[in-house]
Amino acid sequence: MRIQQSRYRIICVLILLFTSCLKEKKTTKVNNDAIEKVEYNSEKVVVKCVSDDENVFNFLVPLNPTYSFGKNHKDTKKEVNQDTMIMVLDSISQPLIMETMSWGNDEHFYYTDILYVPGDTVFYEIKDHKIVFKGKNAAINNFLYEINSYSNLEYGRNPYKGNIEDYKNRVDSINNERNKLFESYIDDYNVTSNSEIKIVKDYLKYTYLYNLICPRYEKVGGWEGAYYNSLDGLKTFIEQEYVNKETVFNSNKYLNNTTIEDFKEPNSLYIPRYKNTLNAFISHYFETSNHPDYSREKLLAEKEYIETNLEGEIRDYAIIRMLYDYNLHGFGHSIQNVDFMKNILDEYEVKVSKKDYREKIQEMKEDLSSFDYKLSDRALDSKLINKFGDTLTLREIFGRSDKRTRVLNFWASWCGPCISEIQTTKSFKDKLIVEDNVEWIYLSIDENKSKWLDMSKELSEYLTVRNQYFLLNGTNSSLAKFLKITAIPRYVILNKNNQIVLRSAPHPSDSLNFKRIINEVK
């Protein structure tokens, strides 16, 4: 289950949003005459917002989907005067739906998607915790706000509850209701622009597919009743539900016979959710082999599939995003595959056309070049607490015994797949301990130590007392940051010299592949 490409994405978006907006905040008087002069410029959009909560202006900038990995819109000028904000977005060459979010004075979180059309003015009010759009395209923008603000229309408030078919039925129902509501908006408000109708329909389509492929599962902290998408969740949920069933899960039926052809329209790259949906589809559903996730074999299979089926900018994006995801999961950060990964990055650095793709490749190459297959001193000195309340470091744990293959198992009390792996793979792990001299070290990234202790007690028959630890600062610890722990369960394999052999190993339930890797460890 991934913590956090969904959590990581939202947190990063908010950080980018806050920092860039703080830099841009201005309290000078609004020059409405100057604003009027740019109102009909073909590449500018004027945004006027009136609110009884001035704090929302400090942290309000749209996220531009045309940028390769999603960032705040760059060409922005903003002026604030008491209850009014005027913002001018430059370099808007086509209609775009952009995610827009902010925090109010009472920590109320505002979120909506907004349609920005070159040459237009977008006007809205934020009052009494509600957003109301007026003027041109108000119908579309009020529709977008409505579907993101009411629980019966929000995917984020309708999570997976243990039955994937039930989850699909609820997602289908939300999609149907959203499309019906949009048709009524078109009729009631006489929306006639075919291009704008199409962009909203595409947005609805990819948002629906995204929520099918990446089920909502993990709770959003501080946002009552809301859940993140789990980018690796569907595979895990299917494995859990169908392990003892005679029937086989029908992924084609589940995805309504979606194929790669549904992703080939060039302008779709600029639709929110499209990019995440594209790579999730490629990662999970094109290939029927049993290659472990984030392995060399799986990377080559995905690479071949993308090269065979996609072209142009869509192909370039899919490749770079795939390599980025593998790098994020630690692929390339081991003796076995670092040169392999560098060669692929070199291959695409000369192939892709966009500057920001090449910059992303450079970032990954620099990351790999700085890695020496050993845990850093700061990582080794990360603080851990054992079940008896003693504080110690990973270095001290390693010092208790040597010449053993070690597996660091990152988990948490709230992670269903983590717990399932612990319970169902005990005999396999016991066998590795005896036959292959493997030491398992369980590291909880829980935020609450009591919850870790409670779950540890529940799992006492599956876990040894000695090698269970609570990792202080969790994913913010030096150890987690060094290993890029963005998803759990996560397994890191180290050889007898404490060199990192594999930064993101297969789950132990994938026993054949896991055993193969252990056999290759020197």
Side-chain angles (χ1 to χ4, degrees):
M1 172 175 47
R2 194 187 289 226
I3 42 185
Q4 304 199 46
Q5 194 162 347
S6 292
R7 171 185 287 182
Y8 177 79
R9 178 172 177 268
I10 290 178
I11 291 173
C12 286
V13 166
L14 289 174
I15 291 172
L16 285 168
L17 228 151
F18 289 2
T19 55
S20 63
C21 289
L22 284 170
K23 290 177 183 177
E24 293 168 2
K25 180 183 176 183
K26 297 181 181 179
T27 56
T28 56
K29 185 177 179 181
V30 175
N31 186 345
N32 287 298
D33 292 337
I35 295 297
E36 290 296 326
K37 292 178 182 178
V38 300
E39 202 163 323
Y40 300 102
N41 185 292
S42 61
E43 288 199 351
K44 295 182 186 289
V45 176
V46 177
V47 180
K48 183 175 182 179
C49 177
V50 175
S51 179
D52 56 2
D53 184 348
E54 291 185 40
N55 198 59
V56 300
F57 302 143
N58 296 335
F59 310 116
L60 198 155
V61 171
L63 190 70
N64 192 319
T66 66
Y67 302 161
S68 300
F69 287 81
K71 294 180 181 179
N72 292 342
H73 186 72
K74 297 175 183 176
D75 300 317
T76 303
K77 296 179 181 178
K78 182 168 63 174
E79 296 182 351
V80 177
N81 182 33
Q82 296 181 351
D83 66 347
T84 302
M85 178 201 75
I86 299 290
M87 181 165 58
V88 179
L89 309 179
D90 206 345
S91 304
I92 306 289
S93 59
Q94 64 191 78
L96 295 173
I97 293 176
M98 298 196 212
E99 295 179 71
T100 304
M101 60 191 80
S102 190
W103 293 98
N105 284 321
D106 55 358
E107 297 189 356
H108 183 80
F109 184 59
Y110 294 95
Y111 174 85
T112 189
D113 293 303
I114 299 176
L115 174 65
Y116 297 95
V117 179
D120 282 359
T121 296
V122 176
F123 176 77
Y124 58 99
E125 295 180 339
I126 301 178
K127 292 184 178 180
D128 300 323
H129 291 171
K130 293 182 179 179
I131 301 176
V132 178
F133 291 86
K134 298 180 179 180
K136 188 176 181 182
N137 289 321
I140 287 177
N141 285 323
N142 281 322
F143 164 76
L144 293 173
Y145 175 68
E146 181 172 350
I147 63 174
N148 284 295
S149 305
Y150 296 92
S151 60
N152 63 320
L153 295 171
E154 284 185 271
Y155 294 113
R157 298 185 185 276
N158 289 273
Y160 169 79
K161 299 178 180 179
N163 185 310
I164 199 65
E165 292 300 330
D166 169 69
Y167 176 77
K168 174 177 167 55
N169 289 337
R170 285 184 284 116
V171 170
D172 284 350
S173 177
I174 292 171
N175 180 55
N176 291 336
E177 289 303 314
R178 284 179 161 212
N179 279 281
K180 287 179 183 177
L181 181 63
F182 184 53
E183 291 298 333
S184 70
Y185 265 84
I186 291 173
D187 293 338
D188 294 346
Y189 296 96
N190 194 29
V191 179
T192 58
S193 171
N194 290 331
S195 62
E196 291 165 19
I197 290 173
K198 184 180 187 307
I199 194 174
V200 176
K201 288 187 173 181
D202 286 343
Y203 159 88
L204 293 173
K205 169 186 172 181
Y206 291 116
T207 304
Y208 165 63
L209 285 175
Y210 181 54
N211 282 280
L212 278 181
I213 297 174
C214 306
R216 301 277 182 163
Y217 183 69
E218 184 195 351
K219 288 184 178 180
V220 178
W223 196 351
E224 186 65 29
Y227 294 79
Y228 295 114
N229 294 94
S230 177
L231 298 191
D232 293 332
L234 183 56
K235 180 179 179 181
T236 302
F237 302 149
I238 292 169
E239 289 174 352
Q240 288 177 341
E241 287 189 40
Y242 282 77
V243 64
N244 294 319
K245 289 185 179 181
E246 294 182 1
T247 57
V248 177
F249 179 75
N250 189 332
S251 61
N252 287 331
K253 180 180 178 182
Y254 179 82
L255 291 174
N256 308 316
N257 296 312
T258 299
T259 70
I260 195 65
E261 297 299 320
D262 294 290
F263 294 90
K264 289 188 176 181
E265 187 174 342
N267 285 338
S268 296
L269 267 176
Y270 306 144
I271 303 293
R273 319 291 185 273
Y274 170 88
K275 292 176 179 177
N276 285 343
T277 308
L278 170 64
N279 278 80
F281 177 84
I282 292 169
S283 178
H284 294 302
Y285 298 104
F286 76 91
E287 197 231 339
T288 58
S289 74
N290 292 318
H291 299 319
D293 290 340
Y294 306 108
S295 64
R296 179 184 299 207
E297 296 83 2
K298 186 71 180 293
L299 188 152
L300 288 173
E302 290 188 36
K303 176 176 178 289
E304 180 182 3
Y305 182 80
I306 292 170
E307 291 284 8
T308 302
N309 290 279
L310 300 175
E311 58 185 24
E313 190 178 348
I314 293 179
R315 177 200 58 211
D316 289 353
Y317 172 79
I319 286 286
I320 301 307
R321 175 60 184 271
M322 177 196 71
L323 295 173
Y324 173 79
D325 286 343
Y326 272 73
N327 179 257
L328 191 67
H329 281 78
F331 185 84
H333 291 84
S334 68
I335 298 170
Q336 295 173 320
N337 55 40
V338 62
D339 290 334
F340 171 80
M341 185 65 161
K342 285 181 177 178
N343 288 337
I344 291 183
L345 291 171
D346 287 341
E347 174 188 349
Y348 284 100
E349 188 172 13
V350 298
K351 279 186 177 181
V352 297
S353 57
K354 291 188 69 171
K355 179 181 177 182
D356 52 350
Y357 291 165
R358 294 193 296 272
E359 289 174 348
K360 186 60 66 175
I361 288 174
Q362 278 295 326
E363 287 178 18
M364 289 186 277
K365 288 172 68 174
E366 290 171 7
D367 181 49
L368 294 177
S369 297
S370 65
F371 186 70
D372 63 1
Y373 321 114
K374 291 183 179 180
L375 292 169
S376 68
D377 287 338
R378 291 186 64 185
L380 285 168
D381 290 331
S382 294
K383 295 291 190 294
L384 309 169
I385 298 176
N386 65 19
K387 291 192 68 178
F388 305 106
D390 303 318
T391 301
L392 63 166
T393 66
L394 192 63
R395 189 192 302 276
E396 291 172 318
I397 295 170
F398 285 177
R400 293 187 314 207
S401 61
D402 56 10
K403 302 306 178 185
R404 305 188 71 181
T405 299
R406 291 188 170 95
V407 180
L408 305 183
N409 181 351
F410 291 86
W411 71 291
S413 63
W414 46 260
C415 172
C418 301
I419 294 167
S420 176
E421 285 287 329
I422 289 171
Q423 292 173 325
T424 59
T425 62
K426 183 179 186 303
S427 60
F428 171 67
K429 289 184 288 189
D430 287 346
K431 188 176 181 180
L432 291 181
I433 291 171
V434 174
E435 297 181 358
D436 297 278
N437 197 26
V438 173
E439 179 180 21
W440 295 84
I441 299 173
Y442 296 90
L443 302 175
S444 165
I445 64 165
D446 276 286
E447 295 179 1
N448 187 309
K449 186 173 69 173
S450 297
K451 291 185 178 180
W452 162 62
L453 288 170
D454 289 344
M455 183 54 67
S456 176
K457 185 176 180 180
E458 285 187 38
L459 297 172
S460 59
E461 64 179 294
Y462 306 101
L463 296 169
T464 60
V465 174
R466 183 184 183 191
N467 271 349
Q468 289 189 64
Y469 303 96
F470 177 78
L471 179 59
L472 286 175
N473 297 320
T475 54
N476 290 318
S477 66
S478 296
L479 177 62
K481 287 183 176 179
F482 181 85
L483 293 171
K484 297 187 176 181
I485 303 302
T486 59
I488 56 174
R490 176 77 173 273
Y491 307 92
V492 180
I493 300 176
L494 299 100
N495 66 15
K496 294 177 175 64
N497 298 314
N498 290 329
Q499 290 179 306
I500 298 171
V501 174
L502 201 57
R503 199 166 181 168
S504 185
H507 292 188
S509 57
D510 186 3
S511 57
L512 292 177
N513 281 303
F514 201 98
K515 182 68 165 69
R516 173 180 56 81
I517 293 167
I518 294 297
N519 289 340
E520 293 173 355
V521 173
K522 299 193 187 283

